[in-house]
Amino acid sequence: MSAPKLIQYLIDGKLITEDDWVAIELESRKTKEDPETLLLDKKKITEEDLAKAKSILYNLPFVDLSLKEIPRETLIVLPEAAAQNHQIVPFERKGQQIKIAMVSPGNYRAIEAMDFWSKKEGLTIQLYVTTLSGLHAALKQYKGFGEEVGQALNVIKEREVPKKIEQDRRPLYEIVKKAPVAKIVSLLIKEASDAGASDIHIEPSENEIRVRFRVDGMLRNFLSLPLNLHASLVGRIKVLARLKLDETRIPQDGRIRVEFDDGGGVDLRVSTLPLLQNEKVVMRLLPSGTEVSTLEELGFTGNVLATLKQSTDRPVGVMLISGPTGSGKSTTLYSILQILNKESTNIITLEDPVEYFLTGVNQVQINPDVGLTFASGLRSILRQDPNIIMVGEIRDNETAELAVNAALTGHFMLSTIHAKDVLGVIPRLLDMHVEPFLISAALNTIMAQRLVRKLCEFCKEPFAVTDELKEEIKKELKTLPPKIAKEVSLKEIVFYHGKGCVQCGNTGYKGRLVIAEVLTMSERLREIIRTGLSVDEIGREMFVQGIPTLKQDGILKALDGITSIEEVTRVSRE
């Protein structure tokens, strides 16, 4: 069936207009670009509508391969080179019957090649139509990470890498640099980056090396490697991070910059830790360049977002963000710094470690080995005429008092503190022996946050809510500030979950976002702190300011289908 018939079908079906086609045809003649590609690029039609139109015209069934995990034994029936060359892919097989998808059913060369191949292999083919992105998703499954690692391991076996790398007489650096294990390290880093992992854990056990990735805050087993590779693997990472190869008795820290063949790259912070017999390595993947997410992109919404932005307009005072390790506190601080970063402002930070590099911001790396601590660094910073100071964390009395005094002398101070929620921040400062009158005078804003996993957009679906859960949610939202409560309907409570698909690695989740609570200092709150702390009164002040609690913020996002109620419950307990 010819292309004109397809175009006429699209016009008759009002999927595109005649004017659309005239413009596309003219551009195609000028640029020699395929008309179908132009239709898609200019968003005149969706991939799925185009594929379904072909399905009807060619009398072939349509299949969506973008979410389909294809068994390895089915894929390898057709060589990868042939699949790439003819833009076809097998996706299901039962005995000698095999289903094959293609984007262009009018590609008769591909049809002839399939006919020849099927007769040779004794197979019966059933053809399907799919989208171009669906085809690409399927083709990506041909060459997985495991196959590439397997090839490197085979080379290692052939070379008989010694059980202990020190046994080889060649210089240690040369062994690590040239060994196939270097390929494994590169593949690990690339795969972790593609998976959106925040950390790579390389852990030696009694019989093997366990490799785990932390994705969306959760550790997942990724790969097992032979234990006799451990010395070579750690040696290669140490070379890249410029650490001491022969030092295995004490922890070491370093940094790596890796460039990928496709033009991308990633920075990694490397940490080694001596265990009973071998070293464990953790590599933290850091954001490349100076791109910092906005508060909206991090997941801040509603009154929490508005209050946080208003707080950045105050020229002096202390802004503290609380939460456990890994709750995204530093990332939020960077987003706020990006808002404050102006030509007229001198911003200096004290960090351990520096994770993002911000143009226009003076960033200092803490180094306790030479006496550069948060406290000593803060004293020096105050002599550098700063407007805004960011201290990575307030951990002790000395740093807390310096931060408060800096705020009282006209500086805007940002930092993090370990407390469970907003109500716990002030008691934490009191535990550090900061006087109540200083806290009330210096504090600007306090916030608590957590990170929850986002539901996968490709496989999320509503699920039935039990009466018990409905009552629990209604009870939790009963204390919502009136301004928010009037926008929430509790008559029909609907939550969502992810059933799992290829796009999210069958977890049901992809990405993370913030849930938070925030409180700004009012005259009433300052009086409460000065005259005697009352947690109940602080809670009432949050209600007056129209701010939901951290858990309420999470429930509202679960009701919007952004995350799951199970995730909110799990994270709220931290």
Side-chain angles (χ1 to χ4, degrees), residues 29-42:
R29 288 174 183 171
K30 288 179 183 177
T31 62
K32 307 299 181 187
E33 189 81 37
D34 177 60
E36 285 185 21
T37 303
L38 290 172
L39 280 170
L40 294 172
D41 288 347
K42 295 185 178 298

Side-chain angles (χ1 to χ4, degrees), residues 517-534:
E517 59 187 19
V518 64
L519 184 63
T520 55
M521 297 303 289
S522 63
E523 286 307 314
R524 172 65 184 145
L525 191 52
R526 293 187 197 281
E527 184 65 22
I528 292 169
I529 296 170
R530 278 196 302 268
T531 57
L533 184 66
S534 168

Side-chain angles (χ1 to χ4, degrees), residues 201-215:
H201 289 241
I202 298 172
E203 304 164 317
S205 62
E206 188 177 348
N207 301 311
E208 64 181 13
I209 305 168
R210 180 172 65 165
V211 179
R212 295 193 289 171
F213 289 172
R214 188 178 293 281
V215 180

Side-chain angles (χ1 to χ4, degrees), residues 36 54 175 212 244 324 328 365 406 420 438 468 533 569:
E36 285 185 21
K54 292 178 183 178
I175 299 170
R212 295 193 289 171
K244 294 178 181 178
Q365 170 70 55
K420 185 176 180 181
L438 291 176
E468 185 181 358
L533 184 66
T569 303

Side-chain angles (χ1 to χ4, degrees), residues 237-263:
I237 293 168
K238 284 184 173 181
V239 165
L240 291 172
R242 298 181 180 179
L243 302 179
K244 294 178 181 178
L245 288 166
D246 55 351
E247 182 55 83
T248 60
R249 300 164 298 170
I250 60 174
Q252 296 189 71
D253 294 298
R255 199 162 178 136
I256 298 173
R257 171 66 187 174
V258 176
E259 301 289 346
F260 301 137
D261 292 339
D262 60 8

